[in-house]
Amino acid sequence: AMAAEDHKVGFEATTSSIKDMFTTLNAAYDGKRDRKALIIASDRGFRVSVANQERSMYAVAYLDSGMFSKFVCAPAAGASDVRLKVSLHALLQCMTVFGSGVKLESTMMRFAYSDETALVTLHLHENRCTTECEIATFDVTEEDDDEGDDDEGGDAGSARGFGSRLATRGAGAPASAPASASAPAAAGAAAGAAAGAATASKRPRFEKDPTANAWFLATPHTEAGLEAARRQLAAEWEAQQEAIKKQKIEVTYSYWDGSGHRRRMMVPKGATISKFLDWVREDLLKDFPEMRGTSSGDLLFIKEDLIIPGNCSFYDLIASKARGKSGPLFTFAAQDEVRVVDDARVEREDSHPGKVVQRHWYDKNKHVFPASRWELYDPTVNYAERYRVKG
């Protein structure tokens, strides 16, 4: 005979197909991820009950021991069953680890529980694949025990579950045997209480493993390091952009007063159109006396038939690879007029010199070609959709 201290409380059930078991348990599942199932294992099989907190939903599923090719139940001394509470969602997820549907029919499983570890173990095998899942259990409360005993029916059910109920109360909530209980039953209940207290002390504690490599987890130290790296990269990028803005480019423009007067000027990429027009006015003063009474605000810069706003910079046009109606806005080399050598509706990869005109000239001649084609530049408009590239 096995000594009392060597008696292991738990159960083990083996089946060659988990389809029937999964279907039965899934019928009692309402889809709530936090739903817990009370499992009562006895010689007759499993009784699985699920209830919500308000007790407005209560489902019970029975799994007969005949469903399994092997079924062993070893309750605690003085008890007729083994009781535990487990996450039904986790249990169903583990059962379908190889897939659902047809996979359930060919999946074999060993379903076991040991009171020493307080873990439910599922050893699954399908085709040539094998895996093992362990699910932590929850404490069975007195209310859970009463719920299970009520369903058994009558005084006999209460007598069968008495030792287990007493064991789950623990040392903090002692209970005495009823007057109708016999001496052996009281002794069994006491043994069950001792076993329950031992089980409670053996329940595993889940905490961080100090040996685990957790380099990928966010910590205050790593977050500070990442933030510092981000600031450094942002500063480097800003410095690179400032260096680019200081680079000079040659801009070919044509002062347009009905005829073109082409000129060239070196300007930094970061200069705005407004600042560029200031320099243009100073450059034109010696050859065009009418510029003396004109400010840069009275001048317009037209590039590829688009009037470029004064707050826009050459850097903005270059960085965004902006395109106009008749060519790119990000290059400023001199080419022939597109309307002279080709179809104005066809966009070319060549860039054409920008025009500088006085605002009052444009207001008087905007109904006349070429001013009739000009319109204000809008960076949100894709002009390439309207003007195809010649090729």
Side-chain angles (χ1 to χ4, degrees):
M2 184 182 296
E5 58 271 20
D6 295 333
H7 180 70
K8 294 183 179 180
V9 178
F11 60 76
E12 180 180 342
T14 305
T15 178
S16 59
S17 174
I18 64 172
K19 180 180 180 181
D20 293 339
M21 182 176 177
F22 176 83
T23 303
T24 304
L25 294 178
N26 194 48
Y29 181 48
D30 62 348
K32 302 292 185 181
R33 297 176 66 93
D34 60 344
R35 190 71 69 227
K36 300 177 182 63
L38 174 65
I39 300 178
I40 301 178
S42 65
D43 292 339
R44 292 174 295 174
F46 296 109
R47 174 189 178 276
V48 183
S49 60
V50 182
N52 60 5
Q53 188 174 4
E54 298 81 11
R55 299 282 176 172
S56 59
M57 187 280 294
Y58 184 69
V60 180
Y62 294 93
L63 303 171
D64 191 85
S65 59
M67 296 174 57
F68 305 94
S69 57
K70 176 184 178 182
F71 186 88
V72 177
C73 179
S80 60
D81 52 44
V82 178
R83 302 190 176 201
L84 60 109
K85 189 189 287 187
V86 69
S87 168
L88 185 55
H89 174 79
L91 181 60
L92 294 174
Q93 288 293 308
C94 290
M95 293 179 69
T96 56
V97 67
F98 292 127
S100 57
V102 180
K103 291 287 186 180
L104 295 175
E105 297 182 1
S106 58
T107 301
M108 297 183 291
M109 181 182 70
R110 181 173 64 84
F111 182 48
Y113 169 75
S114 173
D115 207 34
E116 287 185 344
T117 60
L119 296 174
V120 171
T121 304
L122 282 75
H123 187 87
L124 300 154
H125 179 80
E126 198 277 329
N127 198 359
R128 296 182 180 180
C129 299
T130 301
T131 188
E132 187 172 280
C133 305
E134 290 184 342
I135 307 174
T137 59
F138 300 88
D139 291 329
V140 179
T141 64
E142 181 179 353
E143 185 179 1
D144 294 327
D145 272 334
D146 292 338
E147 173 189 306
D149 292 334
D150 290 342
D151 190 68
E152 295 287 343
D155 295 336
S158 298
R160 284 194 299 271
F162 176 77
S164 178
R165 292 204 309 277
L166 187 59
T168 56
R169 287 194 180 102
S176 58
S180 59
S182 63
T199 301
S201 64
K202 293 179 180 178
R203 286 194 179 277
R205 293 180 59 189
F206 296 95
E207 56 187 17
K208 181 180 178 181
D209 182 2
T211 63
N213 186 4
W215 62 268
F216 55 89
L217 296 178
T219 64
H221 177 71
T222 58
E223 283 293 333
L226 290 174
E227 183 60 29
R230 282 192 289 265
R231 287 195 297 267
Q232 181 180 357
L233 290 174
E236 291 176 359
W237 185 85
E238 289 290 345
Q240 291 175 358
Q241 301 311 304
E242 289 300 323
I244 292 174
K245 290 179 181 180
K246 292 179 181 179
Q247 295 175 0
K248 291 195 173 184
I249 56 172
E250 183 182 66
V251 177
T252 302
Y253 70 93
S254 176
Y255 173 58
W256 189 266
D257 57 359
S259 60
H261 307 279
R262 185 172 296 186
R263 294 178 177 244
R264 291 181 174 85
M265 179 181 295
M266 299 297 294
V267 299
K269 291 182 179 179
T272 63
I273 299 301
S274 179
K275 187 64 177 176
F276 167 69
L277 291 176
D278 276 337
W279 296 329
V280 167
R281 177 182 171 278
E282 294 175 1
D283 185 46
L284 296 175
L285 272 175
K286 56 182 179 292
D287 297 321
F288 298 93
E290 64 269 21
M291 285 292 169
R292 294 173 185 172
T294 303
S295 67
S296 60
D298 297 326
L299 299 177
L300 299 176
F301 180 63
I302 293 87
K303 184 85 167 81
E304 310 301 344
D305 291 328
L306 294 176
I307 303 172
I308 311 301
N311 60 349
C312 185
S313 68
F314 292 98
Y315 171 83
D316 297 333
L317 299 175
I318 295 171
S320 62
K321 295 290 183 181
R323 307 197 69 85
K325 299 168 76 173
S326 57
L329 298 176
F330 52 87
T331 56
F332 305 93
Q335 300 291 337
D336 292 331
E337 274 290 329
V338 66
R339 285 173 291 276
V340 176
V341 300
D342 214 336
D343 187 351
R345 296 169 299 174
V346 179
E347 183 185 5
R348 295 169 55 92
E349 289 299 326
D350 302 330
S351 177
H352 312 101
K355 293 181 176 61
V356 176
V357 302
Q358 295 193 45
R359 189 181 297 272
H360 70 84
W361 183 94
Y362 171 70
D363 291 337
K364 288 194 304 182
N365 298 277
K366 59 184 176 183
H367 61 286
V368 181
F369 183 86
S372 59
R373 281 179 50 86
W374 300 347
E375 62 181 88
L376 187 64
Y377 170 64
D378 184 355
T380 63
V381 175
N382 186 0
Y383 297 97
E385 292 182 350
R386 289 192 257 170
Y387 300 88
R388 60 186 178 86
V389 177
K390 181 180 179 182

